Amino acid sequence: MPRQSYKSDLTDEQWRLLEPIIPALKGTGPATPKYERREIVNALLYMARTGCQWQYIPHDLPHWKTVSDYFYQWRDNGTWDRIVTTMREQVRRANGRKVTPSFAILDSQSVKTTEVGGEKGFDAGKKVKGRKRHLLVDILGMLLVVWVTSASVQDRDSVRPMLLEARARFATLQAIAVDTAYRGDVVDAAAHDTNIDVQVVKRSDTAQGFEVLPKRWIVERSFGWANRSRRLSKDYERSTYSSEAWIHIAFAQLMVKRLA
């Protein structure tokens, strides 16, 4: 009998969008793979949404070791990155925009890590020991580039690697918006070398308390969307590459719902 569905499961329409991008599963010799690709993806989406550990994946989903193996395989071969790219392009088309952006917004989020180890540091400004998620998003809030580092990395020091990656991916990108933490010679040099204008959006001198800043709120909303995935409530990963993969999965889940 078919299993009962979880709220995180892909619908038939959502799976039709993802199916062409998900690599074929490998059987042993001529054997047919034990699980379907859709069920492997469903298990990963369940983990992203609920935040459960590998060995706590429900028994009516594929075995946790198989799901884990494909997570790392698809992380390393760029599958999740390709999914985000394809879904983002379709979301942009659906909103009457060109496939690649001319404007983007950059910000970071510091999150705590756990005892699993791996790269970590201390963000003296936010008083957080852990890692920092650097996100570059388009005007719709869709993910363009993500880089996970130690929390001790200064925001301004992330600009060069983020802009270099953005320039390599998006020839049309002309400008990005940032807050006042992204100032200094290193930022000016990165903007010059990549020919991307870095626009610092400042708070009003007369503002009291919270203030919505033009364009800057878009990336804050993107962090809010990502936080719906409990797997991202902290950074549970030993590798920053795995941390980035879960962010890709969270945005893939968001965008495929937008499209279907």
Side-chain angles (χ1 to χ4, degrees):
M1 294 180 61
R3 66 171 177 83
Q4 293 187 0
S5 64
Y6 295 100
K7 290 187 70 175
S8 56
D9 283 353
L10 295 166
T11 65
D12 290 343
E13 187 177 356
Q14 290 168 354
W15 175 240
R16 280 193 291 271
L17 292 170
L18 293 180
E19 186 177 12
I21 319 171
I22 303 295
L25 304 187
K26 297 180 179 179
T28 304
T32 302
K34 183 177 180 180
Y35 302 108
E36 296 180 358
R37 290 179 297 161
R38 181 172 176 174
E39 284 294 79
I40 300 293
V41 176
N42 279 335
L44 289 167
L45 295 181
Y46 179 92
M47 286 188 66
R49 194 67 175 181
T50 65
C52 77
Q53 297 166 273
W54 289 113
Q55 296 185 42
Y56 286 79
I57 293 176
H59 296 302
D60 53 356
L61 288 170
H63 189 270
W64 73 267
K65 187 64 171 63
T66 302
V67 178
S68 172
D69 287 345
Y70 280 108
F71 167 79
Y72 292 114
Q73 182 183 129
W74 293 344
R75 177 200 69 181
D76 295 341
N77 66 18
T79 293
W80 290 112
D81 190 21
R82 287 191 294 274
I83 289 173
V84 167
T85 297
T86 303
M87 296 299 103
R88 182 187 62 246
E89 290 176 352
Q90 293 187 33
V91 168
R92 289 181 63 85
R93 286 195 192 98
N95 282 269
R97 295 187 175 273
K98 295 181 179 179
V99 170
T100 57
S102 60
F103 183 81
I105 309 97
L106 173 64
D107 201 2
S108 70
Q109 177 190 57
S110 294
V111 293
K112 294 180 179 179
T113 49
T114 63
E115 70 281 357
V116 297
E119 183 179 350
K120 63 182 67 177
F122 184 69
D123 181 343
K126 301 290 179 60
K127 309 300 182 185
V128 172
K129 182 178 181 181
R131 289 180 180 156
K132 187 174 285 188
R133 298 164 179 162
H134 308 271
L135 260 61
L136 185 71
V137 302
D138 69 5
I139 198 68
L140 300 175
M142 301 298 111
L143 183 65
L144 298 174
V145 179
V146 58
W147 185 37
V148 177
T149 67
S150 162
S152 59
V153 172
Q154 297 289 325
D155 286 349
R156 62 177 177 269
D157 293 329
S158 72
V159 174
R160 175 172 290 277
M162 292 291 284
L163 289 193
L164 288 172
E165 181 70 16
R167 173 52 71 220
R169 288 170 173 256
F170 311 107
T172 55
L173 188 61
Q174 299 175 13
I176 68 167
V178 296
D179 64 23
T180 54
Y182 296 87
R183 292 188 294 185
D185 293 341
V186 293
V187 176
D188 295 340
H192 177 270
D193 294 344
T194 58
N195 197 30
I196 297 175
D197 183 24
V198 178
Q199 302 173 357
V200 179
V201 181
K202 301 179 181 179
R203 281 172 51 88
S204 169
D205 294 335
T206 59
Q208 296 182 359
F210 177 75
E211 179 186 15
V212 177
L213 299 178
K215 302 288 195 308
R216 290 276 305 116
W217 63 270
I218 294 172
V219 68
E220 298 295 345
R221 183 183 60 182
S222 297
F223 280 119
W225 287 337
N227 288 340
R228 295 175 185 171
S229 296
R230 292 193 175 187
R231 186 77 184 190
L232 300 179
S233 62
K234 289 184 179 180
D235 193 320
Y236 296 96
E237 312 309 314
R238 183 178 300 276
S239 164
T240 57
Y241 296 115
S242 294
S243 303
E244 293 167 1
W246 283 114
I247 294 171
H248 279 114
I249 291 173
F251 276 92
Q253 191 170 33
L254 166 71
M255 289 188 287
V256 77
K257 286 183 177 180
R258 293 282 183 91
L259 291 165

